Amino acid sequence: MPDYHDDLRLAHVLADAADAATMDRFKALDLKVETKPDMTPVSEADKAAEELIRGHLHRARPRDAILGEEYGVEGTGPRRWVIDPIDGTKNYVRGVPVWATLISLMEAGDEGFRPVVGVVSAPALNRRWWAAKGAGAYTGRSLTSATRMQVSKVGRIADASFAFSSLSGWEEQGRLDGLLDLTRACWRTRGYGDFWPYMMVAEGSVDLCAEPELSLWDMAAPAIVVQEAGGRYTSLDGEDGPGGGNAAASNGLLHDELLGYLNQRN
């Protein structure tokens, strides 16, 4: 199996640079925020962080392609860095500390591009999570100061904690009844949203989470972290990995039941 230690170390360097840039503008009274064509916000910090990461990659990995939320695709080839400079921009612009920079390396294989490295860095929470293919998932302050993560062993929906981001997307897709049935069946339900519930699945503090509509840059890094922690990360159709346009993550033991609820149609 390939060793991705150098790529993981680079991803941490990229996250360090992004953390410094985003924290510098977090809660700034003069922060500039625009509305994109899809009606989602983008701040000057989103753009600056992605530009910074791209600049580092141009120097360190000039042959690799880059896909970022703010500036699209650049380059071609079997290796592609996937970047969400600020996952949780709406939180960021309102001063809510739940946001993160997501950095992943994906490699082409027989089943298309798959993430092989992922770093999720949430500096306002003073937290970071990461994983590399075949090397496990970790959380901590650095590569040398880290704790290995493992998903929970909860085996019944009635004992499970479920996290989701909002109700609107589920309603638009006709999946709201199934979602509500799941919330009634679970022991506990919370609306944490964005990257955080996936990291809690990896840590074992949450057992299930799902979102009805996502982009690849939202999912590539969280997917490998969940998988390397022993969990499952699929689309709502059950396709493994972050390529399905939506996501369901679990400790693995409850995954089929999770999908069963979320695929009930109104």
Side-chain angles (χ1 to χ4, degrees), residues 88-153:
T89 298
K90 291 177 182 176
N91 283 346
Y92 184 89
V93 301
R94 290 297 302 272
V96 178
V98 183
W99 49 271
T101 295
L102 313 183
I103 300 168
S104 178
L105 173 63
M106 301 185 74
E107 281 193 344
D110 295 338
E111 299 179 348
F113 279 91
R114 294 288 184 181
V116 294
V117 166
V119 172
V120 176
S121 190
L125 295 176
N126 198 29
R127 296 295 310 276
R128 185 176 290 185
W129 305 261
W130 63 88
K133 185 177 180 181
Y138 294 84
T139 184
R141 294 184 176 275
S142 68
L143 283 167
T144 57
S145 177
T147 302
R148 187 159 187 170
M149 295 189 293
Q150 192 71 34
V151 296
S152 76
K153 299 187 185 305

Side-chain angles (χ1 to χ4, degrees), residues 245-262:
N246 47 45
S250 77
N251 64 3
L253 300 174
L254 302 170
H255 206 82
D256 290 342
E257 284 184 85
L258 171 64
L259 296 181
Y261 277 104
L262 298 180

Side-chain angles (χ1 to χ4, degrees), residues 8 47 69 163 170 231 239:
L8 180 59
K47 294 179 178 180
E69 179 177 10
W170 301 101
E239 174 189 346

Side-chain angles (χ1 to χ4, degrees), residues 24-105:
D24 183 59
R25 299 298 293 153
F26 185 48
K27 296 187 178 181
L29 297 178
D30 60 344
L31 181 72
K32 294 182 176 64
V33 182
E34 303 170 6
T35 300
K36 294 191 285 190
D38 64 0
M39 302 308 292
T40 61
V42 57
S43 74
E44 62 182 86
D46 292 80
K47 294 179 178 180
E50 185 168 324
E51 288 171 351
L52 193 63
I53 293 170
R54 285 176 181 266
H56 277 278
L57 287 171
H58 289 156
R59 294 187 293 274
R61 296 290 189 274
R63 296 182 180 180
D64 292 353
I66 304 171
L67 169 64
E69 179 177 10
E70 307 308 335
Y71 295 105
V73 180
E74 183 179 1
T76 59
R79 287 166 49 99
R80 177 185 295 171
W81 293 87
V82 180
I83 305 156
D84 188 345
I86 299 179
D87 182 56
T89 298
K90 291 177 182 176
N91 283 346
Y92 184 89
V93 301
R94 290 297 302 272
V96 178
V98 183
W99 49 271
T101 295
L102 313 183
I103 300 168
S104 178
L105 173 63

